[in-house]
Each structure stands twice: as C-alpha cells, then as structure tokens.
Amino acid sequence: MFTLTINQRDNRRDGDLVPQLLKDLRHIPARLDFDRSVEDEVQGIVDCPHQAVDTALIALRSGQWYVGIGVGPVNEPLPNQIKDASGHGLVYARRAVDRVRNSKERVPVAVEGPVAALAAESEAVLRLLGHIVQHRSVAEWRVLDLLTPGVRGQQKAVAQELGISTQAVSKALSRAQWAEEHAARPAAARLLKLILEVY
C-alpha cells in the first residue's frame, strides 16, 4: 500500500487549506479515505501507485504542501479513520514528510520505503513532474483542467468552451508540457510499485 502524509507549508500565512485539499482529492479512490489527521495535515492510503502519483501531483500543484509517500504495509483490518491506522507504510510516510519539511527542496516531495535506491529514483521522477506542475500559469491550468489524458480531439471543444482559438489551446498544451507529464507519470508509478514488490 501507499500512504501519503501531506503537511501544509504555512498555515499562519495561508489559513487552513485542508478543506480545499480534501475537496481536490475526493475523486481519488483511496483504500482509506484522505482525511485530516492533525491540525494542518492530511493522510490517506491508496492501493495503486498511479493513485499515489495523482495525489502527490494534486497537492504539489499549488505549492502549498509538503508531500511524503510511504511505501509499505499497513496493519489490517484497516480502521475506519486514518488517524487510527498503523504499520510500516505510515512510518515511512512520516519519515518522508519530515525529511522534506527539513530540506530546502524546491519541489517538496519525498518517498521512503524498504529499498532506499528505488525510493530515491521514484522521488527524483516525482520531483521533475512536480516542477512541471508547479510552474504552470493560471491560463494554462484553465485549458488543462478541461482535458482528459489519452482522449483525442478535445482541443476544439476546449477552445470553444473558453472562447479561444484551437491554436491557443495547442500552444498552452505545449508550454505546460502536458504530454511530457502524462508520458512520465507511469515511470514514477512503476518505480513506486517496484519498492512495494520487496514485501
């Protein structure tokens, strides 16, 4: 399983952003739902590495969260709430988020698990993806939020909805490195899965 521990970077300046993050994560099919664990922290557990990547990138998008991913088992049966869960996966997630909080990384995501080399490789790929996601403009996100990866022929419909040209949509996709991001996501997920296969 993949445990994510996500801490708000500055709640004194930004206020409580947990409700908005929980809203942004509501479509992720979690094994144990994302919920507030303590004041400015969200935790959740997912079965699939792709869901872990999706969750991390959603949190990294705003630049307001530290993201820790722990790869390892969680004690079963799972409780009803994340705050009552225990196991190696949660320990690794805590270690990851604490490490990234105490670092000066520009893309605040860390991965911990039983195989340090694989954790470091998956972390590196996630940092590259996070860099792409964090540096998009509001205008680019207006376009991207209307697209579904892997579906052809969407640009004309998006252009009509936004009242812009299809060329403007195409340029936004190119500047935002949307195709590159979605081509690299499976690599991050595969590296996370390889860590889990140690168990």
Side-chain angles (χ1 to χ4, degrees):
M1 284 186 248
F2 305 90
T3 302
L4 288 102
T5 299
I6 306 169
N7 283 143
Q8 192 172 333
R9 294 179 78 170
D10 192 345
N11 61 1
R12 284 177 292 211
R13 183 192 68 195
D14 300 324
D16 185 7
L17 300 177
V18 167
Q20 182 59 51
L21 180 61
L22 292 175
K23 184 178 175 187
D24 294 341
L25 296 176
R26 69 188 181 279
H27 70 282
I28 302 286
R31 179 80 184 273
L32 193 54
D33 288 339
F34 288 92
D35 200 358
R36 186 190 300 266
S37 48
V38 292
E39 299 166 357
D40 60 352
E41 179 180 277
V42 168
Q43 284 187 305
I45 299 171
V46 296
D47 276 328
C48 172
H50 295 280
Q51 295 162 351
V53 171
D54 290 348
T55 301
L57 294 180
I58 289 167
L60 290 170
R61 171 177 171 170
S62 69
Q64 294 171 312
W65 300 95
Y66 297 108
V67 180
I69 301 175
V71 184
V74 177
N75 295 333
E76 298 196 64
L78 291 177
N80 292 326
Q81 294 183 306
I82 187 68
K83 64 182 181 175
D84 298 321
S86 62
H88 287 103
L90 283 108
V91 173
Y92 285 131
R94 172 66 54 210
R95 194 181 299 166
V97 81
D98 286 347
R99 178 165 55 84
V100 79
R101 284 173 60 194
N102 294 318
S103 73
K104 298 200 183 322
E105 293 294 341
R106 289 172 39 198
V107 181
V109 61
V111 178
E112 292 279 344
V115 184
L118 285 172
E121 289 173 11
S122 59
E123 183 177 297
V125 176
L126 283 166
R127 285 213 171 124
L128 288 171
L129 288 168
H131 179 79
I132 290 172
V133 167
Q134 282 183 344
H135 287 83
R136 289 174 175 156
S137 68
V138 172
E140 288 164 357
W141 276 116
R142 282 179 56 224
V143 171
L144 300 183
D145 284 339
L146 296 173
L147 293 169
T148 303
V151 177
R152 299 184 68 108
Q154 299 178 83
Q155 292 187 27
K156 186 174 180 182
V158 170
Q160 289 174 339
E161 182 160 342
L162 295 176
I164 60 177
S165 69
T166 54
Q167 291 84 357
V169 170
S170 180
K171 285 180 182 176
L173 293 179
S174 178
R175 278 192 316 269
Q177 295 180 289
W178 191 70
E180 292 83 354
E181 175 206 336
H182 286 279
R185 279 178 178 237
R190 186 169 294 113
L191 287 165
L192 288 172
K193 184 180 179 187
L194 286 172
I195 302 169
L196 194 62
E197 288 174 356
V198 169
Y199 281 100

